[in-house]
Amino acid sequence: MPKVTIDGKTVNVPEGITVLDAAKRLHISIPTLCHHPKLTPFGGCRLCLIEIKGIPRPVTSCTTPVSEGMEVTTTSPNLESLRKTVLELILSDHPNDCMVCERAGDCTLQELAYFYGIRENRFEGERRIYTKRDGNPFIERDMEKCILCGRCVKVCDEVEGVGAIDFAYRGFKSKICPPYEKDLDCEFCGQCIAVCPTGALTGKSWKQKGRQKEVREVDTTCGYCGCGCNLTLHVHGNEVIRVDSKADTINEGWLCVKGRFGYNFISSHDRLKKPLIRITLKTRDASRVTRNEVFREASWDEALDYIAERLKSIRDKHGPDSFAGLSSARATNEENYLFQKFVRAVIGTNNIDHCARY
Ligand code: SF4
Ligand code: SF4
Ligand code: SF4
């Protein structure tokens, strides 16, 4: 375990960890933009620069492993001036439209600009103007706000294993895009949105639904499948306006398209709120009788009595093995247990299976 000294505090840390991670153990915060704890280091944004005794120039703490006896300085007038210059350079080609950005109040770039007090910018020159918007159904990709930190590319490759996006072109023309700059056509898990430190990637369904400070966060469990990922619902008034997941959950903050984007049904006017019983309506004209099947609303008591009566009459007439029960991965273990108990003990058949069994 090498012994390192960071800002005058000495600590023993595991072999091979980076200076950034060693500093975290001492509760010393170093600003970053491209770094994400669950992705491989990139060293691209240059904000995490540090000084190491014996090394003439600052180095990036996210890519520098600790070594025995290392003496590190994480903040000095020179380092803070370099960080401020890096931020100024980033912001010199950034729309700065926080007034209308969906990420305002939840944006690392905005927080750092505030911290370093960047109001005016010394740098000027050509700016990226991308008028074309991606036509995919879920992810708003505003590449004028992209700072080329590469987090989205890494998460898509290293976590999702899809590789739907990458860096294209070189120099000032560098851009994150799908192959041939076509519309994004991928898993739509939204992991890239979750790691983006700016407003470059947001949800299309988030638009003008509410500011982060007006949102109430409600932790819950996704009901779409048996993985049971932890969700955090962002509730504005009485409406869920976005969904994400915290990093310290069983699913480590990662979600699939259903968990992240499949929430519009909650407030849908088409949502069924009462049981429906199917009935057949007969209409008669001069030559024939026409049968139409329609649904009528029923109370829960009426619907449950109706189901029980129909199940009983079918079982009495055709025997219990005329039934089969198919259970669901969307239900909890307890609900699945109860369902098999009902099929075996009440209906009286072992014809019970589960959609996830194969
Ligand atoms: S939504 Fe998922 S699969 Fe698509 S680009 Fe983003 S991380 Fe990759
Ligand atoms: S889209 Fe976001 S995560 Fe991807 S490179 Fe740009 S700023 Fe980084
Ligand atoms: S987020 Fe996706 S994988 Fe996770 S429980 Fe929901 S449906 Fe299943």
Side-chain angles (χ1 to χ4, degrees):
M1 296 253 283
K3 184 186 279 185
V4 292
T5 303
I6 304 176
D7 293 346
K9 296 181 187 168
T10 302
V11 66
N12 283 94
V13 290
E15 191 88 44
I17 75 164
T18 63
V19 175
L20 184 69
D21 286 336
K24 268 187 205 151
R25 288 170 181 244
L26 288 167
H27 306 291
I28 293 170
S29 171
I30 300 174
T32 58
L33 274 168
C34 71
H35 177 77
H36 189 281
K38 292 188 175 154
L39 304 174
T40 54
F42 184 40
C45 73
R46 320 307 285 178
L47 270 183
C48 70
L49 291 173
I50 45 152
E51 291 163 350
I52 298 177
K53 193 173 176 186
I55 296 181
R57 278 184 293 277
V59 295
T60 48
S61 60
C62 71
T63 54
T64 305
V66 293
S67 59
E68 177 59 37
M70 191 181 252
E71 287 183 37
V72 176
T73 302
T74 70
T75 182
S76 69
N78 181 41
L79 288 174
E80 296 308 328
S81 163
L82 286 173
R83 286 176 186 145
K84 192 168 177 181
T85 303
V86 166
L87 279 170
E88 283 180 289
L89 284 166
I90 291 172
L91 291 168
S92 71
D93 183 24
H94 194 83
N96 297 349
D97 62 353
C98 301
M99 286 80 74
V100 289
C101 182
E102 290 299 335
R103 285 278 191 180
D106 185 27
C107 169
T108 313
L109 182 62
Q110 190 189 43
E111 279 167 29
L112 287 167
Y114 175 80
F115 182 80
Y116 284 96
I118 299 174
R119 177 175 285 270
E120 293 181 350
N121 206 311
R122 291 174 286 154
F123 303 107
E124 47 183 59
E126 197 180 347
R127 295 181 78 122
R128 295 167 301 168
I129 311 283
Y130 300 133
T131 46
K132 180 183 172 293
R133 282 286 191 272
D134 197 301
N136 81 78
F138 295 108
I139 299 176
E140 188 65 47
R141 301 179 63 249
D142 184 348
M143 289 299 104
E144 287 175 17
K145 293 182 186 168
C146 173
I147 59 168
L148 298 168
C149 72
R151 284 194 194 192
C152 55
V153 173
K154 281 178 174 291
V155 81
C156 191
D157 178 32
E158 296 174 9
V159 174
E160 203 60 18
V162 172
I165 42 176
D166 208 338
F167 286 88
Y169 309 112
R170 290 290 178 271
F172 184 71
K173 291 186 174 167
S174 294
K175 188 178 188 183
I176 308 290
C177 58
Y180 307 108
E181 291 202 55
K182 291 188 172 166
D183 287 348
L184 188 62
D185 182 12
C186 63
E187 309 288 307
F188 295 118
C189 61
Q191 252 67 281
C192 48
I193 297 179
V195 298
C196 182
T198 74
L201 298 176
T202 54
K204 287 197 168 167
S205 56
W206 300 3
K207 204 165 187 174
Q208 292 175 312
K209 287 289 176 85
R211 286 296 200 198
Q212 194 58 29
K213 73 178 177 61
E214 300 162 344
V215 154
R216 184 166 46 95
E217 294 191 0
V218 180
D219 292 334
T220 185
T221 308
C222 178
Y224 273 118
C225 90
C227 291
C229 296
N230 289 187
L231 304 181
T232 300
L233 308 180
H234 294 232
V235 185
H236 184 260
N238 205 25
E239 187 187 0
V240 175
I241 60 166
R242 335 179 233 281
V243 170
D244 67 8
S245 181
K246 297 192 169 103
D248 59 352
T249 51
I250 187 75
N251 45 300
E252 300 191 8
W254 310 129
L255 296 172
C256 80
V257 61
K258 292 181 286 180
R260 195 180 299 279
F261 294 115
Y263 58 84
N264 290 343
F265 75 93
I266 299 170
S267 308
S268 169
H269 295 300
D270 296 332
R271 187 171 174 178
L272 292 182
K273 293 183 180 140
K274 291 184 178 163
L276 300 174
I277 293 181
R278 195 195 325 239
I279 55 170
T280 305
L281 289 181
K282 290 183 196 168
T283 50
R284 190 186 301 269
D285 60 23
S287 58
R288 60 189 178 131
V289 175
T290 311
R291 291 165 190 268
N292 285 314
E293 290 195 327
V294 294
F295 290 98
R296 72 164 174 83
E297 278 190 2
S299 68
W300 282 105
D301 281 347
E302 183 192 1
L304 291 170
D305 285 349
Y306 179 76
I307 292 166
E309 188 274 318
R310 291 286 295 135
L311 289 177
K312 187 168 179 304
S313 71
I314 294 169
R315 188 188 61 179
D316 292 347
K317 190 169 175 189
H318 302 285
D321 283 337
S322 61
F323 283 96
L326 184 63
S327 186
S328 171
R330 296 182 187 191
T332 62
N333 284 343
E334 292 79 3
E335 287 162 343
N336 278 312
Y337 174 81
L338 284 173
F339 185 68
Q340 66 81 33
K341 199 77 177 166
F342 171 77
V343 171
R344 289 198 166 102
V346 179
I347 302 286
T349 178
N350 286 324
N351 292 338
I352 171 75
D353 212 332
H354 188 278
C355 72
R357 187 183 65 85
Y358 49 81

